[in-house]
Structures are given as structure tokens and as C-alpha cells.
Amino acid sequence: MLAVLLPLATTPAVAQKLSSPLSFTVFAGASIPIGDSSDGLNTGYTIGAAADLRAPATPLGGRLEGSYSNWGAKGLAGSGLSADASEFGANLNLVLWFPMTAPTSISPYVTAGPSFSRFKGTVSSGGASFSQTENHWGFNAGGGVDIAIGELAVRVDARYKRISGDNGNFQSIPVTFGVRF
């Protein structure tokens, strides 16, 4: 299988696919709460979309992302309560793609920038529920790799995300897999 994919991975068309000036990505994966955030929340999920704008003939670009994440609360088994936290967020990032010396299907990058998040916490018992919503700013930083396979490009990405809140900071590590077009 590798022998079949390797020639496809080094064609000029693949290199061009990875350096397109405008591209879009849909992604999904795990969102892992860390620090104090992990005390009350289980690993959750994240889904989202991104638009990349890459400056021609440079390794620099920008990325606008929107995402939704959800985490279930820990330690409620047998209590009759259910609780979760969710976040709808946006990131506006600078992206630095590492230049490769030869045409290749792999394009690693680092990314960082400000984040805005709308958090919602919900607690339910029987037919009653209570929720609270807050908006906060923060930042994210991480990296990943774009991989072109024929006309399709995929992305694997991990980053650190920290949002400042009224009662401390919320920290997570989203790890996602995306399809870029």
C-alpha cells in the first residue's frame, strides 16, 4: 500500500494542493480538559470548521476557526443528577507552515492566536434543569500536519487552549482530524 501512495505523495499537484492560497477544513476529535478543568470534567468531543488564507510564496498565513465542544461531568453516578459543559468558540490564528526542501505530501505547521468562547454549564435532575452561560477571551497554540493524498488533503492537529474565566481558567487540549478542500 505504501508503495502505491508514495509516488502520489511527491507529485507537483500534491505540493500545489498543500500550498493553495484559500482552503477550508472540517474537523472533529477529542477535547481533553487539563489542569483544574480535568477535576470535574471527562474527556469530551469537539467539531468544527476552518478557513485558511495562505500568503503566496511565503510560509505564513491566517486561519479562522469555529468549533463546538462538549464535556460530561465526573462523579455524578447514582446521584440522580446529570451535568455537562459546552463551548462554542472561535480562534483567529497566525499559521507558519514549515518549508519543505522537495515536493512532498506532508506540510507541518505551528499555529497560535486569540480565542473567544461562549461557555454553558447545565445541571439536570428529573424534569428540572439549570444552566449558566458566560463569554470569555483566551488564547490557543499548537501545531499539526497537513497530508495531501491525490486530490484530498487531511489534517491532524493538537493544541493547548486556555480561556480566562470569572472563577479561574479553563484549559483543554483538542486533538482533531480534519478533511481539507
Side-chain angles (χ1 to χ4, degrees), residues 146-164:
D146 280 344
I147 305 166
I149 303 170
E151 292 298 313
L152 181 68
V154 296
R155 172 179 291 162
V156 179
D157 186 282
R159 66 186 70 197
Y160 169 77
K161 187 172 184 178
R162 180 179 172 163
I163 304 296
S164 300

Side-chain angles (χ1 to χ4, degrees), residues 8 13 30 61 65 69 82 91 102 137 154 167-169 179:
L8 290 174
E65 297 174 319
S69 300
S82 66
N91 302 325
W137 287 93
V154 296
N167 298 315
N169 298 311
V179 177

Side-chain angles (χ1 to χ4, degrees), residues 61-87:
R63 179 176 295 158
L64 176 62
E65 297 174 319
S67 65
Y68 174 81
S69 300
N70 187 279
W71 307 268
K74 287 183 177 178
L76 297 179
S79 69
L81 295 174
S82 66
D84 70 352
S86 62
E87 173 210 14

Side-chain angles (χ1 to χ4, degrees), residues 8-89:
L8 290 174
T10 57
T11 66
V14 167
Q16 183 179 3
K17 178 72 173 170
L18 288 175
S19 62
S20 298
L22 179 63
S23 64
F24 301 94
T25 303
V26 292
F27 58 86
S31 184
I32 306 161
I34 60 170
D36 291 343
S37 305
S38 68
D39 292 344
L41 297 173
N42 293 310
T43 296
Y45 67 88
T46 188
I47 58 172
D52 285 339
L53 184 60
R54 189 169 180 174
T58 74
L60 294 175
R63 179 176 295 158
L64 176 62
E65 297 174 319
S67 65
Y68 174 81
S69 300
N70 187 279
W71 307 268
K74 287 183 177 178
L76 297 179
S79 69
L81 295 174
S82 66
D84 70 352
S86 62
E87 173 210 14
F88 179 72

Side-chain angles (χ1 to χ4, degrees), residues 63 65 93-96 109-113 140-144 157-159:
R63 179 176 295 158
E65 297 174 319
N93 291 344
L94 180 64
V95 182
L96 172 64
Y109 62 86
V110 293
T111 182
N140 73 100
D157 186 282
R159 66 186 70 197

